[in-house]
Amino acid sequence: MKQKHFLRFPLFTLGVILVLFGCSKQGPTGAAGPQGPQGPAGFAGPKGDTGTANVMYSDWFTPDVYIKDTVFGTYHFYYDKAVSAITQELLDSGIVLTYGKLDGYTGSIWPMNQVSLMPITLVYKVGATIYTDSWSALVTAGNLRIQFTNDKNYYNSVSPDNQFRYVIIPGGVKTASIPKDYKTLCQQFKIPEN
């Protein structure tokens, strides 16, 4: 009996010594093996939302000079801004939204820093007379025209305090998913508001 007990102790001790000292050293890293064959293609995932990488926008700009002409007795003031990103292809498949910040008006007609999608129509009263101001944005290949008219030719010039901004959204974005509200549009497409 004593002999069996004697053999167990050295075998157990030898095992512990091998575990502690035998695994403490690691040999050098071997050379990389050859690349294996390419695996099969994975399953196609669901279609993701349209990205915003191609959405373009301008800084706010103030027209420096309006050109005045008369159409059927009504004064028209317009400013042409060259925009090379507005191509015929974009006009055929995308959208250009133009926003106005009409700070040239008093707060009772247009609140300061309010932004709205154009066209914008303002109806207001001066004395006993009711006036209608119309602001529109006309887009053609290479050009954005800001146009202003007053139904009674009340103005001889246009205030320099009005500002405008355009947002170009190329084809591929569903029209129904494009918000017209300025703040929502800026959040959705990650556009700085100012």
Side-chain angles (χ1 to χ4, degrees), residues 64 68 79 99 106 117 170:
D64 50 356
K68 179 180 175 183
Y79 169 78
Y99 291 87
T106 62
L117 179 65

Side-chain angles (χ1 to χ4, degrees), residues 62-82:
T62 301
D64 50 356
V65 176
Y66 285 90
I67 297 171
K68 179 180 175 183
D69 66 0
T70 305
V71 178
F72 300 115
T74 302
Y75 299 157
H76 287 248
F77 296 88
Y78 67 89
Y79 169 78
D80 285 330
K81 181 170 186 65

Side-chain angles (χ1 to χ4, degrees), residues 50-51 54 89-95 168-174:
T50 301
N54 295 329
E89 180 182 354
L90 173 80
L91 294 174
D92 293 341
S93 62
I95 187 169
I168 297 172
I169 303 172
V173 179
K174 290 183 181 174

Side-chain angles (χ1 to χ4, degrees), residues 31 68 125 188:
K68 179 180 175 183
K125 190 173 185 180
Q188 180 173 327

